[in-house]
Amino acid sequence: MKTVVIQTTCANKKEAESIAKLLIEQNLAACVQMSDIESFYKWKDEFCNDKEVLLSIKTKKENFKNIKSKIKELHSYDVPEIIAVNIDKLSKDYKNL
């Protein structure tokens, strides 16, 4: 089983909580962590600086497609960040949870 962390940023805590809850309830993620962050980026040639909520979604690689679909369905952004980072090393105890 390949493990990944999928990241997405949300506009607010309510949106982040609804995505996290759905992914856990539908057994698409083992754990979802939320962090308040500040993002700097360009959107449509404009400089942006926003408070966001980062979701770190721990899951199996095979769930990426379904998680991506759920994020797009529930997300308020036109183009939400949806990236997966492969986990090369994972403690045996944690993996067996």
Side-chain angles (χ1 to χ4, degrees), residues 8-23:
T8 192
T9 51
C10 298
N12 55 59
K13 189 173 181 177
K14 183 179 177 184
E15 180 176 73
E17 286 175 346
S18 67
I19 292 170
K21 186 177 179 190
L22 178 94
L23 295 178

Side-chain angles (χ1 to χ4, degrees), residues 86-91:
N86 290 319
I87 305 292
D88 292 331
K89 304 243 187 262
L90 186 63
S91 74

Side-chain angles (χ1 to χ4, degrees), residues 6 9 16 23-24 35 42-43 45 49 63 76-77 84 88 93:
I6 298 172
T9 51
L23 295 178
I24 296 297
S35 304
K42 271 196 169 182
W43 180 251
D45 288 328
N49 172 221
N63 289 337
S76 63
Y77 293 171
D88 292 331
D93 294 338

Side-chain angles (χ1 to χ4, degrees), residues 8-26 29 31-36 52-57 70-71 74-76:
T8 192
T9 51
C10 298
N12 55 59
K13 189 173 181 177
K14 183 179 177 184
E15 180 176 73
E17 286 175 346
S18 67
I19 292 170
K21 186 177 179 190
L22 178 94
L23 295 178
I24 296 297
E25 287 176 344
Q26 294 189 359
C31 174
V32 181
Q33 296 170 314
M34 293 177 28
S35 304
D36 292 328
E52 295 183 294
V53 178
L54 173 67
L55 291 182
S56 295
I57 304 158
K70 297 296 179 187
I71 291 170
L74 298 171
H75 215 287
S76 63

Side-chain angles (χ1 to χ4, degrees), residues 30-81:
C31 174
V32 181
Q33 296 170 314
M34 293 177 28
S35 304
D36 292 328
I37 62 169
E38 185 172 2
S39 296
F40 299 86
Y41 58 97
K42 271 196 169 182
W43 180 251
K44 298 183 179 178
D45 288 328
E46 299 261 338
F47 175 82
C48 301
N49 172 221
D50 291 310
K51 302 284 187 196
E52 295 183 294
V53 178
L54 173 67
L55 291 182
S56 295
I57 304 158
K58 299 172 190 173
T59 189
K60 299 174 200 169
K61 191 173 188 174
E62 64 200 46
N63 289 337
F64 179 80
K65 201 174 196 179
N66 286 334
I67 290 172
K68 180 177 76 168
S69 176
K70 297 296 179 187
I71 291 170
K72 286 183 171 185
E73 179 184 315
L74 298 171
H75 215 287
S76 63
Y77 293 171
D78 292 337
V79 183
E81 168 194 14

